[in-house]
Amino acid sequence: MALQDLCNYHDILVDDATSESAPFGKRIGFKNMSGLTLRNSTSLFKFYIPAPEYLEGSPIQFGQVSTIQSSKDILHPDSILQSLSSLTAPPLASSQSVPLPFPMSHGTTTLAFMFQGGVLAAADTRSSCSGLVACPAAQKILPIHSHLVSTTSGTSADCALWKRILARELRLYQLRHGRRLSTGGAAKLLSHMLHPFKGTKLCVAATLCGWDGGEVEECRDQDFDLKDCREVTKSQVRSLEKSLDASLDKAQRASLEADGQLSLTRKKQSFSGPRLFYVCSDGTRLQGSLFSVGSGSPYAYSILDQGVEWKLTVDEAISIAREAVYRATHRDAYSGNFVDIYHISSKGWTRRSREDLKEEYYREKEKRTKEKRDVAGLDSVCAEK
Amino acid sequence: MFSVQTFGDTGKMKDYHYTGPVEHRFSPYAFNGGTVLAVAGEDFAIVASDTRLSEGYSIHSRDSPKCYKLTDTTVIGCSGFHGDCLTLTKIIDARLKMYKHSNNKTMTSGAIAAMLSTILYGRRFFPYYVYNIIGGLDEEGKGAVYSFDPVGSYQRDTYKAGGSASAMLQPLLDNQIGFKNMEGVQHVPLTQDKAVQLVKDVFISAAERDVYTGDALRVCIITKEGIDEQTVALRKD
């Protein structure tokens, strides 16, 4: 007990009587929780919450405003969440009048766009900390499940932890309802989870790139496991592309729906195809077909706006994405090092091996000198004539 | 510890010229200096730290090492605010014990790293001012280094320097261990002896140029035989 008091860690097996204010789907068999029922914004966060004695016991006011009345509600999570209960010890949202003595990691270039072959997501890998490169090989594209990938921008700790929370919630949804939550649903979920922290220093700007599955019945047969996800080399991507083209025929999709494979009890349409959403910690949630986020995004936008069309092949799309990130890293001080490219299709996500942009720079330099030489050669030939 | 906020960020003194009335706020943080370094090899890991504990212009102690042994295969190095370092290591120890009691096995290095990330993020809005680096052996017996930022973002590395002299040491490690920015060099894997020698040399350089690093160096070498500790003297001025 002494140990647990020190850590404010309560034994999750202790049963609790106060279950009426449980959040969405926290208890098994909670019948009216078929979606996101938001009683109040705090009900989203009824996971283990550390009692903030360090803020209340001290006579010195650190200026905190307890927007979440978490000090009184310490609910005991489900036994399913045993291993994750401490994960969601949610940060107490106090107003930041205690100035932080250290800077947070920020600054990036990430982009994502839709095309006929699915969704392509690309990002640089530099993680900077107000002038110092904290990590030259960070991972800014985080897979959430087999058909959903999120690019992250903002504070790296916030992005990593919130992606974990989102992945867990999506998995729970899948287990409870027997189907994957759509990308739009995931975006809404993330947006609502971040809402209580609006106004605080939390900084998350993510684009969710996913492929929504087909009808409910078919979804049960699809393999939900993450074994689909694997790193591939460039040659494997090409063979994947060929197999993709067959499955992406729009006519096929339309005929599937028309066939009446939709369950008769469900009248709603089920969409199958690529989806792209942008979610931001200030509350923005947008659907679109092209997004670029971060300090290097203006440079990336210029390349993307010029080149992205629906009918690109996978290889063309990859080269445009790489070019966009390369140009952004060239001009933006806070982006650089490598580029990660992920491709999401109906089969799931695949990742290309990380490419060093230094090589790209030298390749382009060589190409330029070669072109200059060719032009100079032509000029001399013309001059002779 | 009541520290008056005459310091700017990272504990460096601001210029002393009169700018008008200045309000001094109490700051709950203090910067106690110190540098930590960790290197992962094929079957070993090294965690090293200096032993100076300073605050402002004073040195509180010359014998305050910043490596803490967590399990037989994991050592953590914490630098930054000493108060938060102590509390954090106590909390980690307690959680390790609890895990041992409920699961009947010791936590692996990767699990400790994931747990530390959530502990740190739990204080997202009043963070632990600690730069952590965990060094140890993973389940396969290979060396592993996990580096953290104060709010819990982490990843696995081969080598990492943290603390006050990190900006000076990291480029040196990039060059010597990662063979970065060198053309036409053969990438030889790091042996344990070379790694220990490199760590000692690197700290000697750090003590030359960083005022908060010095006095002595504590090196913990983690292999499957156990944890071996060495102490090397550094500049005391």
Side-chain angles (χ1 to χ4, degrees):
Chain A
M1 284 309 136
L3 281 176
Q4 286 153 348
D5 282 341
L6 169 67
C7 300
N8 287 321
Y9 183 89
H10 296 263
D11 191 356
I12 32 76
L13 295 176
V14 171
D15 211 0
D16 181 37
T18 66
S19 57
E20 78 282 358
S21 49
F24 52 93
K26 281 247 7 112
R27 303 252 165 222
I28 298 173
F30 207 57
K31 294 160 211 64
N32 60 343
M33 293 295 191
S34 58
L36 260 186
T37 319
L38 277 180
R39 210 90 63 79
N40 51 3
S41 58
T42 66
S43 63
L44 280 169
F45 248 145
K46 291 296 166 51
F47 317 123
Y48 165 66
I49 293 164
E53 281 131 8
Y54 59 82
L55 288 177
E56 284 174 12
S58 157
I60 295 138
Q61 275 307 316
F62 294 133
Q64 58 273 7
V65 175
S66 55
T67 54
I68 304 178
Q69 49 270 36
S70 45
S71 48
K72 308 295 174 282
D73 310 306
I74 298 178
L75 286 194
H76 300 282
D78 247 346
S79 52
I80 285 181
L81 302 174
Q82 168 175 353
S83 54
L84 299 171
S85 59
S86 48
L87 160 71
T88 52
L92 193 66
S94 57
S95 62
Q96 193 83 55
S97 51
V98 179
L100 281 181
F102 52 81
M104 307 274 220
S105 323
H106 256 100
T108 184
T109 304
T110 68
L111 57 95
F113 59 88
M114 288 195 331
F115 67 111
Q116 58 83 21
V119 188
L120 206 74
D124 74 312
T125 60
R126 175 175 289 181
S127 171
S128 52
C129 214
S130 95
L132 178 66
V133 175
C135 180
Q139 252 226 331
K140 297 194 190 172
I141 308 191
L142 306 168
I144 297 185
H145 62 66
S146 60
H147 286 71
L148 183 62
V149 140
S150 109
T151 71
T152 56
S153 164
T155 315
S156 15
D158 290 333
C159 293
L161 266 293
W162 281 101
K163 170 253 162 186
R164 261 180 98 170
I165 294 174
L166 181 66
R168 186 198 58 187
E169 288 307 317
L170 291 183
R171 179 72 181 143
L172 287 172
Y173 183 95
Q174 184 187 315
L175 289 169
R176 289 183 186 124
H177 298 93
R179 66 180 176 89
R180 272 205 303 264
L181 188 56
S182 65
T183 315
K188 205 175 243 190
L189 184 58
L190 181 61
S191 173
H192 288 157
M193 288 201 290
L194 290 174
H195 178 71
F197 298 98
K198 187 171 157 74
T200 65
K201 283 266 166 74
L202 203 78
C203 184
V204 174
T207 63
L208 296 176
C209 323
W211 185 283
D212 289 343
E215 296 79 0
V216 179
E217 290 78 17
E218 269 183 31
C219 274
R220 282 189 190 277
D221 297 335
Q222 277 177 10
D223 39 349
F224 277 129
D225 57 23
L226 299 175
K227 294 201 199 88
D228 272 342
C229 318
R230 58 208 176 278
E231 282 196 34
V232 292
T233 58
K234 298 172 193 139
S235 57
Q236 273 179 299
V237 166
R238 253 178 245 124
S239 56
L240 187 67
E241 171 205 351
K242 290 201 185 65
S243 62
L244 273 181
D245 285 339
S247 58
L248 285 168
D249 192 48
K250 282 193 184 163
Q252 277 185 356
R253 210 161 57 220
S255 68
L256 262 176
E257 289 174 359
D259 264 352
Q261 284 191 2
L262 281 169
S263 164
L264 288 171
T265 53
R266 287 172 187 267
K267 291 287 167 65
K268 64 184 177 119
Q269 287 181 345
S270 53
F271 170 80
S272 169
R275 270 280 201 247
L276 186 55
F277 277 85
Y278 168 70
V279 179
C280 185
S281 53
D282 62 12
T284 314
R285 179 172 50 90
L286 297 170
Q287 183 186 344
S289 57
L290 170 74
F291 284 113
S292 174
V293 186
S295 53
S297 62
Y299 310 105
Y301 268 128
S302 60
I303 306 289
L304 295 172
D305 287 336
Q306 173 201 11
V308 167
E309 325 172 284
W310 181 261
K311 56 185 195 327
L312 289 172
T313 66
V314 176
D315 277 342
E316 285 171 355
I318 288 174
S319 70
I320 287 185
R322 191 193 311 125
E323 175 82 5
V325 174
Y326 167 62
R327 297 288 169 201
T329 58
H330 187 57
R331 279 289 177 180
D332 178 33
Y334 291 100
S335 311
N337 297 103
F338 304 99
V339 56
D340 273 337
I341 301 182
Y342 278 65
H343 175 221
I344 302 100
S345 63
S346 61
K347 301 268 192 308
W349 58 260
T350 50
R351 176 186 188 216
R352 294 170 58 80
S353 39
R354 195 167 254 197
E355 289 160 49
D356 192 349
L357 287 172
K358 188 173 68 168
E359 311 291 324
E360 179 80 21
Y361 175 74
Y362 284 120
R363 250 181 285 150
E364 191 180 3
K365 204 161 147 201
E366 231 185 81
K367 214 172 22 152
R368 286 246 184 93
T369 48
K370 190 166 158 305
E371 275 169 21
K372 258 198 228 145
R373 260 186 277 125
D374 288 344
V375 168
L378 273 174
D379 281 344
S380 63
V381 164
C382 293
E384 278 174 5
K385 290 205 176 138
Chain B
M1 176 85 53
F2 281 67
S3 57
V4 182
Q5 185 80 344
T6 42
F7 303 108
D9 298 306
T10 71
K12 301 205 170 35
M13 294 288 280
K14 286 211 275 269
D15 293 340
Y16 266 134
H17 53 269
Y18 187 68
T19 50
V22 179
E23 185 191 340
H24 289 301
R25 290 201 60 174
F26 170 72
S27 164
Y29 295 112
F31 181 66
N32 294 119
T35 307
V36 196
L37 194 155
V39 178
E42 187 57 41
D43 57 351
F44 66 91
I46 299 176
V47 180
S49 77
D50 72 321
T51 59
R52 173 176 287 181
L53 189 74
S54 42
E55 186 172 355
Y57 284 146
S58 332
I59 296 179
H60 289 311
S61 163
R62 294 196 192 275
D63 187 19
S64 165
K66 294 160 190 67
C67 328
Y68 302 93
K69 174 173 172 288
L70 297 178
T71 68
D72 284 332
T73 53
T74 317
V75 171
I76 188 172
C78 315
S79 69
F81 173 38
H82 193 61
D84 277 345
C85 296
L86 292 174
T87 307
L88 190 62
T89 46
K90 283 200 192 102
I91 289 183
I92 298 174
D93 277 334
R95 292 287 297 269
L96 284 175
K97 277 205 193 96
M98 282 152 60
Y99 183 96
K100 182 88 197 286
H101 292 153
S102 7
N103 298 288
N104 199 24
K105 65 179 177 110
T106 26
M107 280 183 98
T108 58
S109 300
I112 298 178
M115 177 184 76
L116 180 57
S117 169
T118 53
I119 293 176
L120 291 172
Y121 198 77
R123 291 267 298 246
R124 168 68 174 81
F125 296 104
F126 182 20
Y128 290 109
Y129 181 15
V130 189
Y131 291 93
N132 298 290
I133 305 183
I134 290 182
L137 302 175
D138 64 9
E139 292 94 342
E140 297 160 21
K142 294 206 178 81
V145 164
Y146 296 93
S147 62
F148 292 77
D149 81 348
V151 271
S153 159
Y154 80 105
Q155 67 174 61
R156 185 169 173 174
D157 286 314
T158 317
Y159 53 85
K160 187 78 177 171
S164 57
S166 60
M168 294 177 210
L169 298 185
Q170 190 65 33
L172 185 53
L173 296 178
D174 281 336
N175 183 269
Q176 290 297 307
I177 305 182
F179 302 105
K180 299 254 177 84
N181 305 313
M182 288 203 282
E183 300 290 332
V185 218
Q186 206 188 5
H187 290 213
V188 279
L190 200 62
T191 60
Q192 183 175 323
D193 294 327
K194 185 159 189 298
V196 173
Q197 195 50 49
L198 186 66
V199 164
K200 290 177 184 166
D201 289 339
V202 143
F203 263 94
I204 291 171
S205 314
E208 294 286 325
R209 286 287 184 177
D210 181 33
V211 301
Y212 296 109
T213 305
D215 292 330
L217 165 68
R218 175 75 65 95
V219 186
C220 303
I221 306 164
I222 305 141
T223 52
K224 63 178 192 309
E225 276 92 42
I227 301 182
D228 174 40
E229 289 189 14
Q230 294 176 16
T231 309
V232 174
L234 291 175
R235 288 185 78 113
K236 293 183 171 29
D237 58 359

